[in-house]
Amino acid sequence: MFGQMMERQLLISSIARHAELQHPRREIVSITADNPRHRYTYQEAFARSRKLANALSRLGLQQGDRVATLAWNDYRHFEVYYAVSGSGFVCHTVNPRLFEDQIVYIINHAEDRWLFLDPVFVPLIEKLQSRLPKLEGCIVLTDDAHMPQTQLPRARSYESFIASESDSFEWPEFDERTASSLCYTSGTTGDPKGVLYSHRSTVLHCYASAMPDAMSLSAHEVVLPVVPMFHVNAWGLPYSCAMVGAKLVFPGSKMGDAETLQSLIEEERVTFAAGVPTVWQGLVAYLEKTGKRVDTLTHVLSGGSAVPLALMDLLKGRHDVEVVHAWGMTETSPIGTIRSMSPEANALPEERRDALRARQGRTVFGVELKVADDDGKEVPRDGKTFGALKVRGPWVAAGYYKRNGDDVFESDGWFNTGDVATICPLGYMQITDRTKDVIKSGGEWISSIELENLAVAHPAVAQAAAIAIPHPKWQERPLLVAVLKPGASLSREELLQYFAGKVAKWWIPEDVVFVEKLPLTATGKLSKLQLRQQFVGYQFPPG
Amino acid sequence: MFGQMMERQLLISSIARHAELQHPRREIVSITADNPRHRYTYQEAFARSRKLANALSRLGLQQGDRVATLAWNDYRHFEVYYAVSGSGFVCHTVNPRLFEDQIVYIINHAEDRWLFLDPVFVPLIEKLQSRLPKLEGCIVLTDDAHMPQTQLPRARSYESFIASESDSFEWPEFDERTASSLCYTSGTTGDPKGVLYSHRSTVLHCYASAMPDAMSLSAHEVVLPVVPMFHVNAWGLPYSCAMVGAKLVFPGSKMGDAETLQSLIEEERVTFAAGVPTVWQGLVAYLEKTGKRVDTLTHVLSGGSAVPLALMDLLKGRHDVEVVHAWGMTETSPIGTIRSMSPEANALPEERRDALRARQGRTVFGVELKVADDDGKEVPRDGKTFGALKVRGPWVAAGYYKRNGDDVFESDGWFNTGDVATICPLGYMQITDRTKDVIKSGGEWISSIELENLAVAHPAVAQAAAIAIPHPKWQERPLLVAVLKPGASLSREELLQYFAGKVAKWWIPEDVVFVEKLPLTATGKLSKLQLRQQFVGYQFPPG
Ligand SMILES: Nc1ncnc2c1ncn2[C@@H]1O[C@H](COP(=O)(O)OP(=O)(O)OP(=O)(O)O)[C@@H](O)[C@H]1O
Ligand SMILES: Nc1ncnc2c1ncn2[C@@H]1O[C@H](COP(=O)(O)OP(=O)(O)OP(=O)(O)O)[C@@H](O)[C@H]1O
Ligand SMILES: [Mg+2]
Ligand SMILES: [Mg+2]
């Protein structure tokens, strides 16, 4: 027997409708190529989004057709998000930092029909244009005054595209499982794979991520998404901020520029920001150098890769900013876990509390995790036993777009993340490795991340990566590849000696090699894939 | 085209699973008939709930069968909630304050097969037993030591019922639209009508109500639900607190006892409580009298009927407790609006801010409101124009249980609440009346609630009710029925005079009648139905 409740569908357009009525005057502030500080309200944003929806309706698109974006975080990109998904099309956010071949691959694979792109990316697409035969037209996210000369198909400025349209438009109603947006993974472990989100998954992810023990989003927050809108929908912030009526501050292409970030934070009174650890590293260094402040900022969400405890302590100690560690994936929309401290965690002695703070956190409601051994059996939640991290929930992918037979989507309904993790009795998960990066010595696993964390805690070491090298007796043994800090000197023996007593003896790297720099992926993550290629054929010194 | 996300269902059992893993050690504290202060953890609660699920599985119930409760707020009632709904049965929470005929009516109408009841209600059900032919068995919510002698069918104590059961039980998976619980309306305007909630509506309502600008529920809160678990699922708190891991404090039958509430708040360090205005009125009076304090309490949610601004000011001024006004109905699960202050509202001059504070608030995301005139046309959101309040959303009823043709479920998908309201440009809704209570004078509406609020603001008036009396010239004119404070004296003329200048002239009551007391419904709301019956045939004084 079913309940007798209304069958209202969870649609992205309902976020738009809610924000317009409930938060009409809240602001969206953007840095764009044509305006150093654009500001308007949610009311204006959604009125323009409806104009765009009317313009889109003339393009002959079918429900489910893909419309791509190649753009930084700003208000026009925000309008495109809502107009495309709200109309029943799929908003495919292309990552401009991917390698050119990858960009060509994903636009063709997605069969994008139209592309909304920032002026700065026009030369890139012109270069790739001949390899993108299915692209029918391009809208450049600017006005006529700033429109570059271009031969891109049917190219015109965004402002001229929407100018003569009416701002009245009835968002269509459809099944909440309808596809809303498409994002490809970062390509850290292989080719990017497409994740096709639905309206339902997007709205549920919003609810969960806005909760007090998650991002704690409200109308009183001023939010700076430093994570790009082409990166898992800027972690959902363009949706969740509109849902709760938080003021949004979009840094445009100035994402990596600490000076801009600091001035945006100060001038717009930003309270909450989200981004990868390198953003916070850059910001802290800039604040140290200039003595500038970020007084309104109370907490930042850090995800995408592990954040060092030292960085957390620095931001807390010097700037009273709480770093909230989070874990997620393109496949998880992305929020999986958030490191909120529970009352029990807060009651622990400082050392054990710090150990928890460094963990990737606890699941938000809706996400379920388990850690399994090689036979698929769940391992104890003892904080020590590690294994393959598996996840399920209404905003977790059930497959990749136009791909079949990926065995990461397991037959019992769980998604195998490719991460290796432990979970402690209080529910805090910690990523210890990626499955592909784990080092298997004599049948036992060594965490490459733990070795790296230890190495970078050494005052002379700037960066470090541990990879597995085949070994005649132990199958695999760890090799540590390290970059020294400018001017620092350290010998191989000293660094190896430094590990003694800090990890089990058999975890100590077999050897250390110093290099000038480590290879990065297109999205700035350490590329162990490339590093392993560099060290193919490497042999440990005898003895 | 559908997104490719997992089709995980939103089930009440997933709240149980989440709470056990994420908040295992958080406490649930209860006052029960057999224990003045029972305490245990979520982990223990759900282990016992699974024992109960195993016990229930032996009763031969079918999916969708109704299992009733007649009980105050405590841990056993909590266990019943999860075991019954989690197993796929429907938890029908019967309101013991209803009149006996109403109790008989709803138990028979729901066709409840089993009843879980507090020992204190055993005599009541024994008395009604002969009129409840479909009731197969009764479980008394106590242990054998406290089990009363009774002839109720198959009666046994709850503890003996679950004692020998295993605590391992796999919660079944099913469609999220499956019915989960059943609650009848308060019977203020007529016979109680059944609202049949689903797992989906319950979980979505949880998400929305826990948000920072709604109830702001987190693992750091200690929550005291003073609203009964038979009243729209205690406003969802037994679910939402488990979802976020808030400590729960259940006052048992001591709901209306300010002394108990104060000591629970103090001893358990309660931060948030929820209940109807009379609860706060009683608590404030008690604090005034005894000089006792509620230092840990930061905010209370008040709903069910309008809360006077004076009470809000008193709680804020003397005790630093923020009263959060909320509006809802049995038909809306119940949260419809919550009076969170937006930044724009906070920026208003004090007087206008106070006017907003007295309003019933803004919709939480998921609920949509509109106010319509007699022709069904939406009226402007100007804060002045009033009309019929209509609502829709995934946790709003689409019909009443086993009833057809109720025209409050309108053909365009909106539910006509029976309330009369205005909405202001900032989105704040205010209830001005119930449709059935509105006074229509010369074709124009007069708000009975506004007249009553004005009357009780007079220092000599304790309570007041305004009702419509037929009038030869104006169709209807307001009659004010008032109860004076003990010892106070006030003439009819003085009170009428007092209205001058405070409302439009034609809003001033035609007459005042002083009475000893006003009639209340079974749930303690003012019964205008009865009051109108008392004044049938009343004639206004000539002139
Ligand atoms: N807080 C964190 N700490 C450590 N690692 C993290 C954290 N957050 C995310 N990650 C890593 O990032 C991964 C998800 O990244 P993303 O979805 O951007 O693509 P990718 O896995 O890097 O690329 P691909 O899947 O194409 O190889 C996770 O599986 C995890 O390995
Ligand atoms: N904050 C509030 N201010 C004013 N009135 C409120 C408030 N909250 C709820 N109400 C009133 O309570 C009603 C909902 O109450 P409930 O669902 O318990 O049953 P009822 O309407 O009293 O009874 P019945 O529908 O059986 O006549 C609303 O329709 C509204 O009239
Ligand atoms: Mg990946
Ligand atoms: Mg009602």
Side-chain angles (χ1 to χ4, degrees), chain A residues 1-11 14-15 17-18 21-26 63-64 66 90 173 175-179 195-198 200-201 203-204 206-208 210-213 216-220 243-244 331 333 341-344 346 362-368 381 391-402 413-415 425-427, chain B residues 1-11 14-15 17-18 21-26 63-64 66 90 173 175-179 195-198 200-201 203-204 206-208 210-213 216-220 243-244 331 333 341-344 346 362-368 381 391-402 413-415 425-427:
Chain A
M1 181 172 64
F2 280 179
Q4 285 180 265
M5 306 307 281
M6 289 184 183
E7 298 231 344
R8 297 290 305 161
Q9 299 299 294
L10 305 172
L11 299 181
S14 52
I15 300 178
R17 212 162 30 226
H18 179 78
L21 286 174
Q22 295 300 321
H23 322 294
R25 307 191 197 162
R26 206 65 35 72
Q63 223 220 29
R66 272 75 56 212
V90 175
E173 309 239 340
D175 192 307
E176 66 192 29
R177 290 168 298 177
T178 301
V195 178
L196 190 64
Y197 306 108
S198 68
R200 171 182 166 95
S201 72
V203 170
L204 290 176
C206 264
Y207 269 133
M211 306 264 279
D213 278 336
S216 194
L217 297 175
S218 79
H220 301 274
M243 183 187 271
V244 304
E331 293 90 335
S333 297
M341 295 301 275
S342 66
E344 292 78 13
N346 278 332
R362 298 184 298 150
T363 53
V364 295
F365 174 76
V367 170
E368 292 176 90
R381 292 180 170 238
V391 60
R392 69 177 181 192
W395 54 87
V396 176
Y400 291 120
Y401 185 56
K402 291 190 356 191
W414 290 80
F415 168 66
L426 290 178
Chain B
M1 180 170 66
F2 280 179
Q4 286 181 264
M5 306 307 281
M6 290 183 184
E7 299 230 344
R8 297 289 305 161
Q9 300 299 296
L10 304 173
L11 299 181
S14 52
I15 300 178
R17 211 158 35 224
H18 179 79
L21 286 174
Q22 295 299 322
H23 322 294
R25 304 188 198 165
R26 207 66 34 72
Q63 224 220 28
R66 273 76 57 215
V90 174
E173 309 237 342
D175 191 307
E176 65 192 31
R177 290 168 297 178
T178 301
V195 178
L196 190 64
Y197 307 107
S198 68
R200 171 182 166 96
S201 70
V203 170
L204 290 175
C206 263
Y207 269 133
M211 305 266 279
D213 279 337
S216 194
L217 298 175
S218 79
H220 300 275
M243 182 187 269
V244 304
E331 292 90 336
S333 298
M341 295 302 276
S342 67
E344 291 79 11
N346 277 332
R362 298 184 300 150
T363 54
V364 296
F365 174 75
V367 170
E368 291 176 272
R381 290 179 172 240
V391 59
R392 68 177 182 193
W395 54 88
V396 176
Y400 290 121
Y401 185 54
K402 293 194 346 197
W414 290 81
F415 168 64
L426 290 178

Side-chain angles (χ1 to χ4, degrees), chain B residues 185-191 193 328-331 400 415-419 434 525:
Chain B
T185 62
S186 296
T188 304
T189 60
D191 261 341
K193 300 165 289 282
M329 310 176 69
T330 309
E331 292 90 336
Y400 290 121
F415 168 64
N416 191 341
T417 63
D419 287 325
R434 294 211 185 202
K525 298 193 191 195

